[in-house]
């Protein structure tokens, strides 16, 4: 059992949990993920490590409540326990030797982009950060990102923070103005990572994306997380989750993500029904 | 005087029409009367050829004699002297190619039902026996066992019996390895696996779940934590794919993924359990081994109308146990033999629609000694299916190898060991089971775990 020592509500749909997991904390690096399960009947879901504290022995996860498991996870409070918490899984990001980087986070992806920006900053790189959200109420980690970036650009789809547009609009402008980077890191919805990769390819900027496909074990055993990269089949759990954005077959990844959409919807609806029952009961 | 009937006492089974609608165990086991009757078929030969056929040397004639005397408790103790997991072996061992293969009675008629008797004794003891075990006093030496499948459990239990402080590190959230994620409930009920694991725990073995060795701890970390010897029993977890077009379409599973969803995550109880699995009206399972049979029979139980086994050789070359093939046929699984997939065809939105296959014929024997299948030109045809499950084998998981400098492996990933001891290229590190051999059987893994435990005892005893 893994105890929750801190909980924060970052926006109405996004929560942060700091979890006691000393073994994981000892080895965790940016780019890696954990797999958790919260009940005997629960599924195993992968979540990227948002932060870790080796001394305290804690690992922080940030997640959006999109389905039954993440909703139930969001209902846990400080002092509650997570049943299973395995990691750190996947390969750590290679950030050494980068002088100037642009880190792009879309929505919840911002939470995963943060440890990468932080690590780059600690390694002495100059870091521009671009984040995008649907509206200003959903903006995440702006304070934290400000501390680790040279420049922070925050866009919203509806312009409610006074800066309307997509992350790619900002990136395009920066590139057109002559900014050049050794590395671009894009983390967010598949379509966003695809658009960023298409743009950076024109400028020949090495781009790393973080894939988050459906998976069960996270150790290379099921192969459910297959991603085609440069024409070769890779397992995101052990070969990734970071891949070269210019090589990833995003259209296939988008399709594969829809594999259990009907079941995910059904689980969520039944979950909400049961909750309603309890509340009204 | 021995009972000279030529056939084994039949074991009751759920009838096929009923069992394809549930996940309950297919074979129902002997009653006391049936077991005693079958035990009388044993000639109690002096040469004991059956014992030589058992990878863990179960004292077969002795335990069967105790069954014939109605002393089931001592029969159990006799089996447990050398076998830590009898309820499991009695169900999933390929007895026909091991103990029963050498049974004298098999020369004329059927051999003694050794597996059925072992199963009966283990089940009887679980229901009636005293499962309390007193752990042996500890000798203060720590051993780490990686993986809690049949190899790891056996190695751990044998070492604990000798007083070692054993910790098993398991990557999944429950121990059991392939016994939990791979073999379906209807062949090996999980409650029973749980009970066998409990007996290993009662010996004083500590099991830590959610510990992916190679990630959370390296072998070097384990040594630094005071483990004086390490046994690697991490299994063959890496699924093989065919490398044909369309394998990444939605609806294509590795057998590992399909079986893990169904068995470990209990997708057959969805939505009571959260993990879903998707099974179309028609399902093709590619491969001819036990894993393929398991996947096909699961698919049938999950509601698929047509389930095909697509295998490129003929039935004679099928690696699956005869009993499994027989059960699959009874359940209406359709065998498309001498048939090989060449591509999987998708719908516009990326779901499996069909599998294109080619007919094969058998040519000259290949390296495995089996006649090599070659495609018949112009025999391409479409099999209409919405789900494809690839069950063409697994390779050892590379996680430990890739994080352990100096650990020598075969080109295909199997850890190189000394056969008699399981010793690897690293001092104090032993390995056994599928991690060494590639996908094989539960009992061979147990045999390897047993030999490694003896070797570790010798290694640490002389230290």
């Amino acid at each position: 059992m893994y105890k929750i020592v801190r909980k924060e509500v970052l926006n109405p749909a996004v929560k942060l949990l700091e979890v006691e997991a000393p073994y994981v904390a000892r080895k965790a690096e940016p780019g890696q993920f954990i797999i958790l399960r919260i009940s005997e009947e629960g599924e195993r879901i992968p979540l990227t490590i948002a932060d870790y504290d080796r001394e305290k022995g804690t690992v922080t996860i940030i997640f959006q409540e999109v389905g039954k498991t993440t909703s139930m996870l969001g209902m846990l409070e400080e002092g509650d326990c997570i049943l299973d918490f395995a990691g750190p899984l996947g390969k750590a990001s290679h950030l050494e030797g980068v002088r100037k980087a642009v880190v792009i986070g879309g929505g919840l992806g911002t939470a995963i982009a943060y440890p990468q920006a932080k690590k780059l900053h600690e390694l002495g790189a100059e870091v521009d950060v671009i984040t995008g959200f649907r509206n200003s109420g959903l903006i995440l980690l702006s304070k934290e990102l400000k501390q680790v970036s040279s420049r922070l650009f925050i866009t919203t789809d509806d312009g409610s923070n006074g800066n309307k547009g997509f992350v790619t609009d900002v990136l395009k402008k920066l590139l057109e103005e002559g900014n050049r980077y050794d590395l671009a890191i894009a983390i967010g919805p598949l379509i966003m990572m695809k658009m960023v990769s298409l743009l950076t390819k024109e400028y020949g900027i090495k781009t790393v994306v973080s894939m988050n496909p459906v998976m069960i074990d996270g150790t290379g055993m099921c192969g459910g997380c297959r991603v085609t990269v440069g024409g070769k089949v890779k397992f995101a759990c052990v070969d990734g989750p970071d891949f070269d954005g210019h090589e990833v077959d995003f259209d296939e990844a988008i399709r594969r993500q829809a594999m259990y959409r009907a079941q995910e919807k059904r689980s969520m609806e039944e979950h909400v029904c049961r909750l309603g029952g309890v509340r009204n009961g | 005087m021995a009972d000279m009937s030529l056939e084994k006492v039949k074991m009751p089974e759920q009838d096929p029409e009923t069992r394809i609608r549930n996940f309950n165990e297919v074979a129902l086991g002997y009653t006391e009367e049936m077991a005693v009757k079958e035990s009388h078929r044993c000639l109690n030969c002096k040469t004991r050829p059956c014992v030589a056929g058992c990878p863990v040397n179960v004292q077969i004639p002795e335990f069967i004699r105790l069954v014939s005397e109605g002393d089931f408790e001592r029969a159990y103790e006799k089996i447990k002297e050398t076998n830590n997991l009898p309820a499991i072996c009695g169900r999933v061992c390929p007895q026909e190619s091991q103990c029963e293969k050498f049974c004298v009675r098999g020369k004329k008629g059927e051999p003694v039902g050794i597996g059925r008797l072992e199963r009966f004794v283990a089940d009887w003891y679980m229901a009636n026996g005293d499962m309390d075990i007193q752990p042996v006093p500890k000798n203060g030496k720590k051993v780490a066992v990686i993986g809690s499948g049949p190899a790891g459990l056996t190695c751990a239990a044998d070492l604990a019996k000798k007083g070692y402080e054993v910790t098993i590190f398991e990557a999944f959230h429950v121990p059991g390895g392939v016994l939990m994620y791979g073999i379906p409930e209807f062949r090996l009920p999980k409650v029973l696996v749980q009970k066998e694991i409990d007996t290993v725990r009662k010996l004083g073995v500590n099991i830590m779940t959610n510990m992916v060795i190679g990630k959370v701890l390296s072998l070097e970390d384990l040594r630094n934590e005071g483990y004086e010897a390490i046994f690697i029993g991490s299994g063959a977890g890496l699924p093989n794919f065919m490398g044909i077009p369309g394998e990444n379409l939605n609806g294509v599973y590795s057998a590992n993924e399909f079986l893990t969803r169904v068995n470990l995550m209990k997708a057959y109880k969805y939505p009571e359990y959260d993990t879903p699995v998707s099974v179309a009206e028609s399902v093709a399972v590619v491969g001819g081994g036990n894993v393929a049979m398991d996947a096909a029979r699961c698919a049938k139980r999950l509601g698929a109308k047509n389930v095909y086994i697509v295998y490129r050789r003929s039935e004679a070359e099928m690696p699956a146990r005869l009993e499994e093939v027989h059960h699959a046929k009874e359940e209406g699984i359709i065998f498309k033999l001498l048939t090989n997939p060449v591509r999987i065809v998708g719908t516009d939105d990326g779901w499996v629609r069909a599998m294109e296959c080619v007919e094969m014929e058998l040519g000259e024997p290949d390296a495995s000694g089996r006649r090599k299948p070659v495609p018949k030109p112009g025999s391409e045809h479409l099999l209409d299916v919405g789900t494809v499950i690839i069950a063409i084998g697994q390779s050892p998981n590379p996680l430990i190898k890739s994080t352990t400098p100096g650990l020598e492996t075969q080109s295909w990933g199997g850890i190189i060991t000394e056969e008699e001891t399981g010793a690897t290229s690293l001092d104090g590190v032993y390995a056994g089971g599928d991690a060494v051999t590639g996908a094989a059987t539960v009992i061979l893994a147990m045999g390897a775990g047993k030999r490694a435990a003896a070797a570790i005892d010798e290694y640490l005893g002389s230290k």
Side-chain angles (χ1 to χ4, degrees):
Chain A
M1 299 285 266
Y2 305 80
K3 196 167 150 194
I4 297 166
V5 295
R6 182 167 64 100
K7 177 181 182 175
E8 275 182 43
V9 178
L10 301 184
N11 78 28
V14 175
K15 287 170 183 158
L16 172 153
L17 297 178
E18 187 177 342
V19 181
E20 255 175 24
Y23 282 105
V24 185
R26 241 194 265 170
K27 286 286 176 79
E29 292 290 344
Q32 291 188 297
F33 65 95
I34 57 98
I35 283 197
L36 61 76
R37 195 176 72 123
I38 49 182
S39 71
E40 218 35 73
E41 298 78 27
E43 55 183 345
R44 293 166 63 94
I45 61 159
L47 289 172
T48 306
I49 294 169
D51 209 349
Y52 48 84
D53 186 326
R54 302 210 201 282
E55 270 91 71
K56 268 171 79 184
T58 60
V59 172
T60 300
I61 49 171
I62 297 178
F63 57 95
Q64 188 157 6
E65 297 181 6
V66 287
K68 180 180 173 185
T69 305
T70 43
S71 300
M72 286 174 68
L73 189 61
M75 289 164 68
L76 297 178
E77 300 296 340
E78 287 174 5
D80 288 346
C81 284
I82 293 173
L83 186 59
D84 297 294
F85 196 91
L89 301 168
K91 289 186 175 155
S93 305
H94 290 291
L95 302 172
E96 284 75 17
V98 176
R99 277 166 307 158
K100 191 169 177 190
V102 58
V103 176
I104 304 137
L108 180 74
T110 303
I112 307 162
Y114 167 65
Q116 315 240 3
K118 186 176 156 193
K119 180 91 181 202
L120 282 164
H121 177 72
E122 284 167 7
L123 291 168
E126 187 184 336
V127 187
D128 283 345
V129 175
I130 310 169
T131 62
F133 303 90
R134 284 208 312 279
N135 61 58
S136 61
L138 301 175
I139 292 173
L140 293 172
L141 301 176
S142 53
K143 200 178 75 208
E144 289 83 352
L145 281 165
K146 201 158 213 144
Q147 285 170 359
V148 299
S149 59
S150 313
R151 292 185 286 179
L152 170 64
F153 306 90
I154 304 175
T155 67
T156 47
D157 297 359
D158 68 352
S160 51
N161 75 332
N163 191 11
K164 186 174 160 76
F166 295 120
V167 288
T168 38
D169 298 331
V170 178
L171 180 62
K172 193 159 197 266
K173 191 157 161 279
L174 286 171
L175 293 171
E176 279 171 358
E177 284 169 4
N179 290 282
R180 285 298 174 268
Y181 304 97
D182 319 327
L183 177 70
I185 296 177
I187 304 174
L190 288 167
I191 187 69
M192 181 214 95
M193 295 195 286
K194 177 183 173 179
M195 299 319 282
V196 167
S197 299
L198 285 172
L199 182 59
T200 54
K201 195 167 186 180
E202 285 175 35
Y203 289 85
I205 296 169
K206 185 184 166 193
T207 301
V208 169
V209 297
S210 177
M211 304 299 282
N212 188 18
V214 171
M215 59 176 76
I216 304 177
D217 58 294
T219 63
M221 212 198 80
C222 79
C225 62
R226 308 198 282 293
V227 180
T228 302
V229 183
K232 292 206 176 74
V233 178
K234 300 280 181 186
F235 290 181
C237 66
V238 286
D239 301 320
D242 287 359
F243 290 108
D244 181 343
H246 299 154
E247 300 277 346
V248 170
D249 183 340
F250 284 105
D251 296 337
E252 180 188 272
I254 289 168
R255 218 187 55 220
R256 287 184 64 79
Q257 206 174 39
M259 181 137 171
Y260 294 102
R261 197 145 288 161
Q263 287 97 329
E264 283 158 5
K265 196 163 161 247
R266 177 173 170 194
S267 288
M268 187 59 186
E269 280 166 2
E270 293 190 10
H271 170 61
V272 170
C273 273
R274 275 199 292 268
L275 284 183
V278 173
R279 276 180 194 153
N280 300 335
Chain B
M1 182 59 206
D3 174 346
M4 294 311 289
S5 48
L6 293 180
E7 288 179 3
K8 294 177 184 176
V9 174
K10 289 228 175 334
M11 179 159 59
E13 287 179 348
Q14 278 198 76
D15 88 280
E17 273 310 302
T18 313
R19 73 189 192 226
I20 58 169
R21 292 185 182 82
N22 66 51
F23 270 78
N24 300 335
E25 195 170 13
V26 168
L28 302 172
Y30 278 164
T31 60
E32 291 188 12
E33 292 70 31
M34 291 172 186
V36 172
K37 185 164 179 2
E38 180 63 19
S39 71
H40 284 125
R41 293 186 64 234
C42 176
L43 300 175
N44 206 358
C45 346
K46 286 218 167 56
T47 50
R48 305 158 88 235
C50 50
V51 179
C54 175
V56 297
N57 283 310
V58 168
Q59 302 298 296
I60 295 165
E62 286 81 354
F63 100 75
I64 292 182
R65 195 174 47 78
L66 289 162
V67 172
S68 72
E69 290 165 5
D71 193 345
F72 308 133
E73 187 164 342
R74 282 180 58 215
Y76 178 79
E77 284 159 7
K78 184 53 75 183
I79 297 172
K80 283 288 273 192
E81 281 175 15
T82 60
N83 184 348
N84 291 306
L85 313 167
I88 294 168
C89 292
R91 286 172 167 80
V92 302
C93 263
Q95 288 98 9
E96 68 278 7
S97 56
Q98 297 177 157
C99 52
E100 294 182 18
K101 181 179 173 182
F102 301 102
C103 176
V104 172
R105 294 298 306 267
K107 287 186 181 144
K108 193 177 164 209
E110 288 185 338
V112 175
I114 300 169
R116 293 175 184 184
L117 287 171
E118 181 180 35
R119 171 191 162 137
F120 163 78
V121 170
D123 289 359
W124 183 92
Y125 196 85
M126 276 187 183
N128 304 295
D130 174 9
M131 299 294 280
D132 259 351
I133 300 162
Q134 293 309 315
V136 219
K138 296 274 179 273
N139 66 14
K141 290 185 176 170
K142 284 169 72 179
V143 180
V145 170
I146 303 168
S148 62
L153 286 173
T154 303
C155 185
D158 273 14
L159 287 167
K161 284 183 195 164
K162 293 193 166 113
Y164 292 94
E165 282 179 39
V166 185
T167 300
I168 300 183
F169 297 90
E170 165 57 43
F172 266 129
H173 54 269
V174 290
V178 73
L179 306 170
M180 290 304 275
Y181 75 72
I183 305 176
E185 177 76 19
F186 55 82
R187 277 218 291 138
L188 183 63
K190 302 307 152 211
V191 171
L192 204 142
V193 177
Q194 203 53 58
K195 280 190 182 170
E196 293 280 44
I197 291 170
D198 286 345
T199 64
V200 175
R201 274 209 177 95
K202 282 180 189 156
L203 289 168
V205 172
N206 177 30
I207 304 180
M208 288 181 78
T209 53
N210 297 318
M211 295 294 275
V212 184
I213 301 302
K215 284 291 174 188
V216 71
L217 292 171
S218 64
L219 262 59
E220 201 189 329
D221 294 330
L222 289 172
R223 285 199 188 278
N224 293 338
E225 294 211 351
Y227 293 98
E228 295 181 58
I230 298 169
F231 175 76
I232 306 171
S234 50
L238 190 71
N240 298 341
F241 286 91
M242 288 183 292
I244 59 172
E247 254 179 328
N248 283 0
L249 288 165
N250 290 1
V252 181
Y253 287 103
S254 72
N256 261 1
E257 178 181 2
F258 184 75
L259 291 172
T260 301
R261 283 179 180 272
V262 175
N263 302 323
L264 180 73
M265 306 310 294
K266 302 206 183 324
Y268 67 92
K269 293 186 180 171
Y270 175 87
E272 182 195 340
Y273 281 71
D274 293 338
T275 304
V277 67
S278 139
V279 172
E281 191 176 284
S282 297
V283 176
V285 179
V286 182
N290 290 324
V291 172
M293 300 303 137
D294 284 346
R297 296 171 69 195
C298 282
K300 191 80 186 181
R301 283 162 173 77
L302 289 164
K305 242 192 221 154
N306 311 305
V307 181
Y308 305 99
I309 288 277
V310 176
Y311 181 56
R312 64 195 179 124
R313 303 182 196 248
S314 72
E315 190 165 334
E317 289 86 20
M318 267 198 173
R321 288 182 67 190
L322 280 179
E323 186 187 328
E324 303 307 324
V325 175
H326 169 72
H327 276 148
K329 282 184 176 168
E330 277 186 346
E331 290 169 13
I333 309 293
I334 305 154
F335 284 69
K336 306 280 269 181
L337 302 170
L338 289 165
T339 304
N340 204 30
V342 288
R343 126 186 118 96
I344 302 167
V345 188
T347 58
D348 290 341
D349 54 354
W351 285 80
V352 174
R353 174 169 71 79
M355 187 162 79
E356 187 179 317
C357 301
V358 63
E359 287 174 28
M360 310 293 275
E361 51 197 354
L362 294 177
E364 295 299 309
D366 63 11
S368 74
R370 298 179 296 180
R371 290 175 67 194
K372 189 182 164 66
V374 286
K376 270 195 222 170
S379 66
E380 290 81 4
H381 58 281
L382 280 183
L383 191 61
D384 287 329
V385 290
T387 304
V388 173
I389 301 166
I390 314 285
I392 55 167
Q394 300 91 239
S395 310
N397 195 315
L399 268 186
I400 291 173
K401 175 201 158 193
S402 63
T403 53
T404 310
L407 183 67
E408 284 173 19
T409 59
Q410 314 274 3
S411 56
W412 48 268
I415 299 171
I416 296 173
T417 60
E418 199 183 280
E419 169 134 18
E420 269 316 296
T421 60
T424 68
S425 54
L426 295 173
D427 185 44
V429 179
Y430 296 76
D434 287 3
V436 170
T437 57
T441 61
V442 168
I443 190 69
L444 285 175
M446 289 175 60
K450 205 166 191 61
R451 287 195 301 276
I456 289 170
D457 180 43
E458 195 167 310
Y459 169 78
L460 291 180
S462 63
K463 248 183 127 173

